[in-house]
Structure formats: C-alpha cells, structure tokens
Amino acid sequence: MSLPASFADLALAPAVLKAVAELGYEQPSPIQAQAIPHLLAGRDILGVAQTGTGKTAAFALPLLTQIDVNNNQTQVLVLTPTRELAIQVAEAFQRYATHTKGFHVLPIYGGQDMRAQLRQLQRGAQVVVGTPGRVMDHLRRGSLQLDKLQAIVLDEADEMLRMGFIDDVEWILEHTPEQRQTALFSATMPPPIKKVADRYLVEPAEVKISPESSTGSNIEQHYWMVSGTNKMDALTRILEVEDFDAMIIFVRTKTATVELAEKLEARGFSASAINGDMNQALRERTIDRLKQNKLDILVATDVAARGIDVERVSHVMNYDIPYDSEAYVHRIGRTGRAGRSGKAILFVAPRERRLLYAIEKATNQRIERMELPTGDAVTKQRIDQFNQLLTTTLTEQRNKLDFFYELLAEFSQTHDVSAEEIASALAYLCQKERPLQVQLADVHAAQDRPRRDRPERGERDRSERSERGDRDRGEKRERRERGPKRDDVPMDLYRLEVGRDHGVKPGDIVGAIANEAGIDSRHIGNIRLQGEFSTVELPTGMPKETLSHLRKVFIRSQPINISLDTGGSGANHERPKKRHPKGDRAERPARLGDKPAKKPRKPKKYD
Ligand code: AMP
C-alpha cells in the first residue's frame, strides 16, 4: 500500500488540522490522500468511493479550508440522497469546524418544518447540505441563493440516480454559477452518472481506491452485522468465547486505541494500545510483550500495526471497518503467519454493507456472517474455565491447601453443613464480580434478534435492488410530501428515555429506529428532544415484537426504553396532532392498544 501523506502534509487550514488531530485521525484514508490535494487546488473530482472510505472528510476538509467565514452566504452545497446522510454530513462538517469560528452548516431535507428552515437559511450558512427535492424547493422560493457558491458536492450520486433524483440534481447544477468547483462521489459509475460527470465536471481528477487484493486461504473470515451502539458488548462476548492466543483489534483513531484498550483492561483482558503517537521504542516494546505472552490483545490503528509479524496472533478483529479492501488485506494478514491458521472478524454497520461486498469482490473470498455467542455459550465457557481453575488449584497448589482444609473441616462440623454447601458459598463469593451464570444484559437482545440478513451471493443484487426499491418508494413519498400527502400516514407518539442530556441528536434516533425496527426513515415523523427524554412520531400499528425489540436498543449508551406516549409522561403538552383524520373508527388503522377483535389494517410498511 502506498503510504498516504500525513494530514500535516496536506495544505489544510490550521483550524481544520487541529480538529482532525483532536478527533484522533492518524493519517488520511486513501480516498482523502488522493482527493484533498485536487480539491484544494480547485479541481473538479470524480470519486469512486463507498461509505466507510472516509469520503465525507475527503471533501469536507478541503472545502472547509476554502470557506470565507466572514461571509455568511452559501459557498458550498452538498446534495445527498437521504436525510440521514444530510444530517451525517452536516454533523461531520460541524465536527471538522470545531475550531473554525463563525462557521455555519445547515442540513435541509423534506419532513423538516419549513418555517424553521426558512429562518435558518435567512440567518445564513456557508455550507448547506440537503436532499435534492428540498434544495430545489428553496431555490424556487429564493430562500436559498447560490450566487456566491464556490463548490457543489454530489454525494452518493448513484443513490440519487436510483431514487429518481437525477433530473433534480441536473436542475440544481444548472442553477449554480458556472465557475463553481464540482465533486461527484459515487460507489458505482453507471452510465447516467458518467453522463452527468461528462456534462458538468471540467477535466475532473478521478480518484478511487485500489480494488486488487488477495488474502491467504488459511484465514477464516467472518463478519458480524452491528446493531447500533453495542459494539463493545459484542466484542467482549466474542473475546470470552473465542479460543484465541493473541489478537489485534483494529480501530480507526488513535483515541479509540487508548479508549478501547482501557475498557478491555477494565473488563479483565490483557490489552494495550498501539498507535502512531507512541515512539518507535515504545511500540516495539509493546509488540515484544505480545510476542512473549505478556500481553494478549493489541488495539491498533492501521499505521501502527503495519508490518507486525507475531506468530501467536491467531485473530484479527476489525472493530472499525477498514477504508478499503487493501487495508483489510493488510490487517488480516497480521494473522495466519508462519503457515498457521488464523481467523478474522469484521464488524459491519448496516450502512457499511457495500464496503463488505466490495471487500469480498476484491479479495474474491466469501466472508461468512456470524452470530454473537449466546448467553449459554458464555456461561458454558465460564464454567469450563472455573472447572479448569479448580482442577489446577487442587493439583498444583495442593501443598497450600492444608490450612484451609482444616479450617473448613472444623467449620463443617461446628455448623453442621456439608462440604458441598461450604464450597458453593465460596464459589459464589469467588464469581461475584463475574457471574458464572451469565444474564446477558438486555442490550444483547438487540444483537440476538435475527436481522434482515445479507442474502446468498446470487441473490444479493436482487435484494439490494429491492432494498433500493423500497428506498425509492420511500423517497418518492418524501418528494410528494412537499405537498400535503404525507399527512396520509397515521402516526402515534412514542417516548424514548434518552434526550439532550445524554448527548442524543435527532440523527441518532432516526438511525437507531430505522436500523433496529426496519422502519423506513421516511416514515419517522417529528422528533423532539427534551433534557431527559425525547418523543418521536412513528406510524400507527407498530407490531408488538418490533416495539419490544426497540425497547432494548441503546443510544449513546442509554437504554431507550421506548413506549407509546399515553400522555402521562409530561411530554403530553407537545404531543403533535394525529395525522389521520378523526372520526370514523373503521377508517382508523389499528394501534398498539386496540383490542384484537377488530380486524387491524396492515401496519404501514416496516421494510
Ligand atoms: P465516511 O466514509 O465518510 O462515512 O467515514 C466513515 C468513518 O470514518 C467516519 O466515522 C469518520 O469519522 C471516520 N474517518 C474518516 N476519515 C478518517 C481518518 N482519516 N482517520 C480515522 N477515521 C476517519
């Protein structure tokens, strides 16, 4: 892998570099290393990159560098296919602009209150991130003005095409100043996107991540589909049950290496961080400790782990997905050394699916889906370890037991209790901190639930297409929503026991509900954040299983404990009006509280 430059080598604004350093980014991802210099030089970009490659920072960092914060007019417009992506991109800009004073970014998308949007636009934002329909609305109204626009980004252009937005995108492009800079990012390059690129990009620099790679056949590869915020719990469960000798866990940032290593140590694992902030001597010492069995787990960034060759590394855990297949191959090549067999596990968030497929395609190897070990499996493992400990103590420490033998024999006699009873009491005390009988916390239920899984190879395309089809339909609905049509969707109000005080943002709630309940995000209505709780409108008639599954979901480490808001929560005052027409009960779709005698109308689409 050619060494990407360090961030400091890129001519980014000092405030941007500072934010990136604080986020713990150690080096630019391949797409960033390629794209940033071109964007800074004012060139157009045609980028082939999926989610997970770091493409957001690839355009956000250089564009932020070029923004004039003394001018509140819109200088950068980012078009995204969905509102989640609009929120994510806006949040990313905000993160990278932590030290850029006077910077404002505004996400605009359908479903949001128009008046608030108009007010915010009036106040001004140098960067606007929006879905095409809403951006068009504002351009037509004159509430969004682009005469000072310097750059436009088309993010996930192929998704916008699939959702039928391509005409809107072209319309918007036609309404931007001709001398603007254009960056088009797309996971694939179907002909209509190529056509847009040919038409609207001027001598673009083409950037893409290298696809060729190969992995050793002695490495077993698995992936686990992440649900929300439970990665840490999933990791500990796997660590308990996997029979590993030594392991390297890969994360993306320096900060994450330290945090994760500390958390693992606190949970009793012998783990240490290794990252680019550590000097060479310290890094080597850490690797030596791994070689000499003094350490079992290294938590590493790609840079720090480059070239590590330790035979006893039996497992590689991709806790954060790598940027591309090449990085994946490098990572998993840290195991299966010296002809041994190895195992690689990859955590994939639902939105990173495409990167998983890309890795499989590039390496021409199937990565098998794995389920998390069950509570029973963890219990069995702990009992085995306990039995093992008893046996070794009885055999190897026999000479040290005499004193206790006497003591307990006497206790048994005086108190008239059997040896088994005493042993049980002692065993109970021994395992108090780490119970042998594992009651997996409720969070785990989120992981146990069979998720809509990736289809078999041949079916994937079809399924992807139908998934897209769903999104298409959803988005079209959103587009229609510019008129009053959305009001057709009857909604109920739910209360979530997480709020602003927990650091929760609307995007977190949309993401969690869309991913966990499989509810199309376009059917997620108003979200109101309060201090300790939030309310969200969801389509009436949510199936019981979905609700009870959702109850176990965590956001920002807090159980959301979702419940139908019956008005007693104090959230009542802000309960939005039901969107279905009042009156004729037969017309009203079934709700959670309804008696089953009435034939419920099929719930609205839950994927
Ligand atoms: P994206 O492909 O833009 O969705 O980014 C995926 C994730 O990678 C985000 O969580 C980013 O914060 C993270 N990320 C992007 N660039 C870097 C980098 N150079 N180093 C570490 N993490 C990064």
Side-chain angles (χ1 to χ4, degrees), residues 7 25 27-29 32 51-56 252-253 323 351:
F7 277 108
Y25 291 8
Q27 58 165 171
S29 71
Q32 292 162 5
T51 293
T53 53
K55 67 177 163 59
T56 315
R252 285 207 162 170
T253 64
Y323 301 114
R351 67 188 197 92

Side-chain angles (χ1 to χ4, degrees), residues 103-238:
F103 171 77
H104 298 288
V105 56
L106 183 64
I108 54 173
Y109 45 83
Q112 229 180 358
D113 176 33
M114 188 53 119
R115 269 173 311 174
Q117 245 170 46
L118 289 171
R119 264 198 316 275
Q120 287 163 322
L121 277 169
Q122 213 161 30
R123 257 182 254 136
Q126 293 97 356
V127 175
V128 169
V129 188
T131 46
R134 206 29 95 94
V135 168
M136 260 173 94
D137 267 2
H138 284 291
L139 284 175
R140 286 211 179 98
R141 285 167 182 252
S143 40
L144 175 62
Q145 296 193 352
L146 299 180
D147 32 314
K148 287 285 178 284
L149 192 82
Q150 289 171 5
I152 181 162
V153 180
L154 313 181
D155 197 7
E156 298 198 353
D158 50 353
E159 282 299 306
M160 293 202 271
L161 170 73
R162 267 178 219 117
M163 291 178 170
F165 284 146
I166 207 68
D167 294 343
D168 297 0
V169 170
E170 290 203 44
W171 186 93
I172 294 167
L173 281 163
E174 297 287 350
H175 287 76
T176 54
E178 227 175 277
Q179 67 283 10
R180 48 127 229 274
Q181 184 177 14
T182 310
L184 188 160
F185 285 92
S186 197
T188 55
M189 267 306 148
I193 297 294
K194 197 83 187 79
K195 228 166 92 192
V196 170
D198 290 343
R199 188 143 171 213
Y200 295 97
L201 272 59
V202 183
E203 295 174 11
E206 297 196 16
V207 294
K208 57 174 148 197
I209 43 179
S210 121
E212 337 71 59
S213 310
S214 66
T215 50
S217 55
N218 56 336
I219 304 171
E220 223 184 282
Q221 299 175 60
H222 300 266
Y223 78 93
W224 174 64
M225 193 57 81
V226 177
S227 46
T229 50
N230 302 318
K231 268 162 88 171
M232 184 65 206
D233 292 307
L235 174 65
T236 4
R237 247 212 258 182
I238 292 171

